[in-house]
Amino acid sequence: MIKIKSVYTCQKCGYQSAKWLGRCPDCAQWNSLIEEMPLSAAVERGGRGGSGVLPAPLAEIDVSEEKRISSKIAEFDCILGGGLVRGSVVLIGGSPGIGKSTLLLQIADEYSKNGLKVLYVSAEESIKQVKLRADRIDSHGKDLFIVNQTNLNTITNYIKKGPVDVVIIDSVQSLYRPELSSIPGSVSQVKECAGELTCLAKSKNFSLFLVGHITKEGALAGPKILEHMVDTVLYFEGGEHHNYRILRAVKNRFGSTNEVGIFEMTGGGLKEVKNPSDIFVSERPDDISGSIIVPVMEGSRPILVEIQALVSYSGYSQATRRVTGLDYNKVNLLIAVLEKRARLKLANKDIFVNVAGGVKVAEPASDLAVIISVASSLKDIKIKSDTVVFGEVGLGGEVRAVTSPKKRINEARKLGFKRCIIPRGNLKGIPPEKRSIEVKAVSTVSEALKEALSLKG
Ligand code: TYD
Ligand code: MG
């Protein structure tokens, strides 16, 4: 008889070793290898599609029944690439309390109202807690079934027994397979549970949503392989102190990963935000220096955000630099560009730069806005409130072209802005007759400052 030996699995990266090691050779983490019993589950499951499937000519494969299922939440359907695909597996990650369970209950309710049979496996919360949440979001789909269960075998039994169209697992880290000796949430448990459910989804043709916890660093907890197993990976982002949530697709086998959905957490669940620019710009003070609006691209759509800077004389030998919503190193680099190329004295100044509304901006198109807002605050010159600006800034003080200038300008026009300072390189993309608002093209930082700060309001 062959004796099955246990393996040691790293709980951080999934590295497996036949003997115990104090430090993982792969990710260099100490004390992360834990003894686990291997299970040849792949053999047990027979792999995707079972053993009787023969290779078929590509041209003869029928995909005509690929109809998308709508959740009636347009932002959500859009992220999935136009609706849910039957048999697809979607992983949703996000920090605790951000609204994963709320969103999934809302879409579960919509799907069930659409005539689909939905099974919501609440592995973390009791069914009473789910009911309380359902009351808050006014959910009463009659084909929506809730169960509080963490045993994978019991869950697969429910699925095999009844006809089911959508299964939601909240969360995959709480499930366990009793045959495995490791605790729920460990690498082998997460891998096994997700793998088994994925195979079942493909063979029984139901759609599967998996909620995944994220680590302190913001990555999905558990093995990296989890992201490879599923068809779509969505991340929930949003500040703890703001009600706005951004749902972003980072992987999508059935659509583009360029899309984002913007939601607002209200007393009655998550509501779609149809015109995000309106919110981020609406509370802007009118006559203050150091504030400028920049249209940044979130996925394929432009959103107007306000960049604010405050420059004050530093009483200490070491000046303070604080940045929220932007990359700290990038802002420091831009301040150095201002010193060197525009000859502004900033070394003995405390500088604070902030993106209003708690959003994070990672796009280089915001460089020029940072430059102008810092200069505006330093000189205490107000920028005219009907002006927007975008452009990437290089170390030589040159202003470089960015993507989608037309979309950015159109968004600014829609929101009532009259003037736009853009990189000269973007000018040829927009012929004069197509310019919906006054466009000022600049090629250097000094030119941009002259243009923006001479527009005294
Ligand atoms: P939840 O969906 O439980 O988060 P997650 O599953 O990602 O951990 O959301 C919890 C938060 O949302 C909680 O702080 C309460 C708040 N909330 C509302 O503000 N309004 C609502 O209608 C609901 C259901 C929750
Ligand atoms: Mg939850």
Side-chain angles (χ1 to χ4, degrees), residues 73-360:
I73 302 176
E75 296 274 308
F76 190 75
D77 288 347
C78 172
I79 300 166
L80 292 181
L84 183 64
V85 175
R86 254 196 115 83
S88 67
V89 183
V90 182
L91 179 64
I92 299 188
S95 37
I98 201 153
K100 301 180 293 294
S101 307
T102 308
L103 178 72
L104 284 175
L105 193 61
Q106 279 179 258
I107 57 164
D109 184 47
E110 292 295 345
Y111 287 141
S112 74
K113 280 183 198 152
N114 231 345
L116 299 180
K117 290 231 169 344
V118 185
L119 174 64
Y120 188 107
V121 182
S122 170
E124 285 172 3
E125 295 168 307
S126 70
I127 50 172
K128 280 206 177 125
Q129 279 172 295
V130 179
K131 176 70 181 151
L132 286 176
R133 182 180 291 122
D135 289 343
R136 281 183 83 171
I137 62 170
D138 197 21
S139 141
H140 39 71
K142 74 174 179 354
D143 278 332
L144 172 55
F145 296 88
I146 313 279
V147 64
N148 172 241
Q149 183 57 260
T150 51
N151 186 334
L152 179 75
N153 297 343
T154 319
I155 295 168
T156 50
N157 276 342
Y158 295 145
I159 296 171
K160 283 174 189 160
K161 253 190 245 158
V164 61
D165 302 300
V166 178
V167 175
I168 294 168
I169 307 285
D170 189 1
S171 66
V172 67
Q173 272 90 0
S174 325
L175 299 195
Y176 74 99
R177 195 184 177 123
E179 292 90 334
L180 286 173
S181 59
S182 48
I183 52 163
S186 63
V187 170
S188 49
Q189 285 284 11
V190 172
K191 210 157 80 180
E192 266 307 309
C193 295
E196 171 96 36
L197 288 166
T198 305
C199 282
L200 205 57
K202 302 287 170 192
S203 59
K204 291 201 62 131
N205 202 27
F206 63 84
S207 304
L208 175 67
F209 286 96
L210 300 172
V211 172
H213 290 171
I214 60 165
T215 60
K216 269 210 301 283
E217 292 82 34
L220 274 158
K224 197 71 189 155
I225 196 169
L226 197 58
E227 291 186 42
H228 295 289
M229 278 198 265
V230 301
D231 300 309
T232 305
V233 181
L234 308 177
Y235 270 99
F236 240 128
E237 297 169 6
E240 281 166 41
H241 311 292
H242 293 89
N243 288 337
Y244 301 108
R245 308 277 188 264
I246 295 179
L247 190 62
R248 195 185 297 277
V250 292
K251 166 183 176 181
N252 195 355
R253 286 187 184 147
F254 303 110
S256 116
T257 48
N258 267 337
E259 295 308 333
V260 294
I262 299 174
F263 297 91
E264 184 185 3
M265 183 60 97
T266 66
L270 286 157
K271 295 267 171 329
E272 297 172 77
V273 175
K274 291 276 188 237
N275 198 348
S277 301
D278 236 354
I279 303 158
F280 295 128
V281 177
S282 61
E283 287 166 28
R284 186 183 181 204
D286 237 5
D287 45 1
I288 274 185
S289 63
S291 150
I292 182 107
I293 303 290
V294 51
V296 291
M297 298 301 290
E298 271 298 351
S300 60
R301 77 170 139 186
I303 297 176
L304 298 189
V305 295
E306 181 191 349
I307 307 264
Q308 303 175 322
L310 185 68
V311 179
S312 64
Y313 184 75
S314 177
Y316 299 97
S317 55
Q318 177 100 31
T320 310
R321 303 275 148 94
R322 291 269 182 276
V323 178
T324 21
L326 288 154
D327 180 42
Y328 178 79
N329 293 325
K330 187 65 186 276
V331 172
N332 270 324
L333 185 149
L334 294 170
I335 292 170
V337 169
L338 265 178
E339 284 235 350
K340 182 89 180 168
R341 309 290 171 200
R343 311 222 171 275
L344 300 185
K345 295 263 167 294
L346 291 161
N348 57 348
K349 303 287 190 310
D350 286 341
I351 303 177
F352 306 90
V353 182
N354 176 36
V355 183
V359 266
K360 284 199 177 65

